[in-house]
Amino acid sequence: MSARGGSLRLRLLGATLATLVLALVGAHWWLAGLFRDHVQQQFDTALSQQLDQLTARLEFDARGQPVIGPRGMSDPRFEKPYSGLYWQVEPLPLVAGDRRAALRSRSLWDAELQLPDDALADGAIHRHELAGPRAEPLRAAERSVQAQQPVGSRWRLIVAGDLHEASAAIGRFNGVLAASLVGLGVLLALAALAQVAVGLAPLKAMQRGLQRVRDGREQRLAGRYPAEVQPLIDDFNGVLDRNAEVVERARAQTGNLAHALKTPLAILGQAAREAPPSDFSSLVGEQVGQAERQLQWHLARARAATTQHVPGQRTALGPVLGGLLRAMDKLHADRHLHLEADGVPPDLAFAGEEQDLQEMLGNLLDNACRCARAAVVVRAVRDGPWLQIAVDDDGPGIAPERRAAVLQRGVRVDESQPGSGLGLAIVVDLARVYGGDLTLGGAPAGGLSARLSLPAAG
């Protein structure tokens, strides 16, 4: 069995079809047996009636020899040679080596019926199966009668019929029965397929609802489901609600922590700037700035870590990117850069928090604007479950051997410009929290191309 535990649909169909096959095979065996017994009973009844007629027609002459009355037997098949219906009268007890019949039907022609020796009580009927004159299968009924003259003489009366017609009728019935049961089995199998499809339809609806939640189109599983499934839906929605509450509480605590730390740091920084210039005031100002940047970095990581697995997250890329490009255009207005989003599809969305996407793209755009000579171009496409975003500039770029180093914390792209070296490190950490990554390469215009991979929302 696979790691998923197999298919519920296949389990239900397998169990249903196996039970169906067993039921149909059992029905065929039982009905065929009933019909075979019925045909045999009818055949034996017909033989008993013929035997009763033979007994009624049997008379004895003055010498005590059996004769058939003038009316004879009513069935014309007794007169047709090898017709498949025969009668015979022979004396009892049987004499070894001399078992000649006293009387036999014309249908036997010059043959005789050879039944095994049998102890027959008066009036009792015994039945046997034997080979006929032409080796055809026969079923025979026999009884013994006692004549008045001579006293004590006994005779065995035999009537036999060909089993071919009965066997053919049984064969035809079995064929029709098998075809009917196969047709019924096909219809029942189709009904089972329809039943499974209808019965599992709520699970398909639940799967589509989960897909919408995963793609960020909905926050909860909506709709009504059967009584057997609704408790699961309610519990799942309850888990989503509690998870959202936990995330919101974590955000609030993160914001409170940031506010609690930023205020004292801001006061210390302001005091350092207002103090008379000295080595101490410079050291305090530098360390306060470093602490603020480290605080920003760790808070971004903590915020992303608490929201990365929250279902239903969806942030449209276009509005966020447009707002950042406008902000960067104002921030770097003195450089007169050309900022462009090159053919970004309007339906692209990030499966995560808007603030995290702004943090990542804002750092990449700010770095690109600092290094660019005249233009920054942003391109984005969807590649399967991933959102691929490239921020290209036409600046001096970075040597391939240094690209891995500048992604580390504290390493700056341009050492001649102010900065903490945390921008790209924050982008890398946030991207990896969401399962993505950031890579650096060469841009078509000769500068740097920062390629960001993030999970795409449906």
Side-chain angles (χ1 to χ4, degrees), residues 41-113:
Q41 183 179 3
Q42 291 294 103
F43 192 87
D44 289 342
T45 299
L47 287 181
S48 298
Q49 292 174 350
Q50 298 287 0
L51 185 60
D52 291 341
Q53 187 181 33
L54 178 62
T55 304
R57 298 287 190 270
L58 182 65
E59 299 177 357
F60 295 92
D61 59 16
R63 296 177 301 163
Q65 294 300 310
V67 295
I68 296 299
R71 290 182 298 170
M73 300 293 287
S74 61
D75 197 317
R77 289 178 294 174
F78 286 119
E79 302 299 323
K80 181 180 179 181
Y82 308 122
S83 64
L85 185 62
Y86 314 104
W87 62 263
Q88 180 173 298
V89 179
E90 58 187 24
L92 289 175
L94 299 173
V95 179
D98 184 12
R99 301 185 57 172
R100 290 176 296 177
L103 294 173
R104 62 178 182 268
S105 64
R106 181 177 177 82
S107 56
L108 277 172
W109 200 243
D110 55 355
E112 293 186 4
L113 300 175

Side-chain angles (χ1 to χ4, degrees), residues 324-339 362-374 376 417:
L324 288 173
L325 289 176
R326 288 190 295 271
M328 292 299 161
D329 189 43
K330 295 179 180 180
L331 182 63
H332 299 278
D334 58 327
R335 303 197 56 208
H336 305 289
L337 297 174
H338 174 68
L339 306 180
N363 278 293
L364 294 180
L365 286 171
D366 187 52
N367 282 335
C369 290
R370 291 175 184 275
C371 299
R373 294 189 177 95
V376 174
Q417 297 189 19

Side-chain angles (χ1 to χ4, degrees), residues 329-457:
D329 189 43
K330 295 179 180 180
L331 182 63
H332 299 278
D334 58 327
R335 303 197 56 208
H336 305 289
L337 297 174
H338 174 68
L339 306 180
E340 178 187 0
D342 184 16
V344 177
D347 59 340
L348 290 185
F350 164 56
E353 281 287 326
E354 179 179 350
Q355 189 173 352
D356 294 332
L357 182 61
Q358 290 177 341
E359 184 82 22
M360 290 182 281
L361 288 181
N363 278 293
L364 294 180
L365 286 171
D366 187 52
N367 282 335
C369 290
R370 291 175 184 275
C371 299
R373 294 189 177 95
V376 174
V377 179
V378 181
R379 293 173 286 107
V381 295
R382 177 163 183 166
D383 182 15
W386 295 101
L387 189 63
Q388 305 291 349
I389 306 172
V391 180
D392 300 343
D393 64 67
D394 59 351
I398 301 177
E401 61 272 13
R402 293 194 63 237
R403 290 171 183 169
V406 298
L407 296 178
Q408 299 176 6
R409 186 169 42 152
V411 179
R412 293 194 299 243
V413 175
D414 188 352
E415 299 289 345
S416 65
Q417 297 189 19
S420 62
L422 291 176
L424 292 181
I426 291 176
V427 176
V428 170
D429 286 339
L430 286 178
R432 289 178 179 173
V433 165
Y434 283 100
D437 203 359
L438 174 67
T439 58
L440 301 180
L448 183 69
S449 178
R451 298 162 188 153
L452 182 62
S453 296
L454 295 173

Side-chain angles (χ1 to χ4, degrees), residues 94-277:
L94 299 173
V95 179
D98 184 12
R99 301 185 57 172
R100 290 176 296 177
L103 294 173
R104 62 178 182 268
S105 64
R106 181 177 177 82
S107 56
L108 277 172
W109 200 243
D110 55 355
E112 293 186 4
L113 300 175
Q114 300 293 326
L115 269 67
D117 294 343
D118 203 358
L120 288 168
D122 289 342
I125 297 178
H126 289 190
R127 305 185 188 279
H128 304 276
E129 293 188 3
L130 65 153
R134 293 186 173 181
E136 71 272 27
L138 300 179
R139 184 168 177 81
E142 62 167 344
R143 68 153 53 107
S144 66
V145 296
Q146 186 169 350
Q148 295 180 352
Q149 294 294 334
V151 178
S153 63
R154 300 178 64 245
W155 300 86
R156 179 159 73 169
L157 282 63
I158 304 169
V159 174
D162 192 346
L163 289 173
H164 271 140
E165 291 186 4
S167 299
I170 293 174
R172 288 192 300 271
F173 176 82
N174 289 342
V176 173
L177 177 63
S180 302
L181 292 178
V182 168
L184 177 62
V186 172
L187 292 177
L188 292 177
L190 293 176
L193 287 171
Q195 181 181 12
V196 170
V198 172
L200 296 183
L203 298 184
K204 296 293 290 184
M206 183 174 67
Q207 182 183 21
R208 291 191 294 270
L210 289 173
Q211 183 66 42
R212 289 192 294 271
V213 171
R214 185 166 55 248
D215 292 343
R217 288 175 284 175
E218 293 182 4
Q219 297 291 330
R220 307 172 82 251
L221 283 177
R224 299 297 301 174
Y225 294 85
E228 294 80 6
V229 180
Q230 189 62 44
L232 175 63
I233 302 299
D234 295 338
D235 290 344
F236 183 78
N237 285 332
V239 171
L240 292 180
D241 293 339
R242 287 191 293 273
N243 191 41
E245 292 174 2
V246 170
V247 170
E248 190 61 33
R249 193 180 304 119
R251 287 175 180 169
Q253 292 174 352
T254 302
N256 293 337
L257 176 61
H259 180 73
L261 292 177
K262 282 182 178 181
T263 300
L265 289 176
I267 295 174
L268 288 175
Q270 183 66 25
R273 286 190 295 273
E274 294 177 354

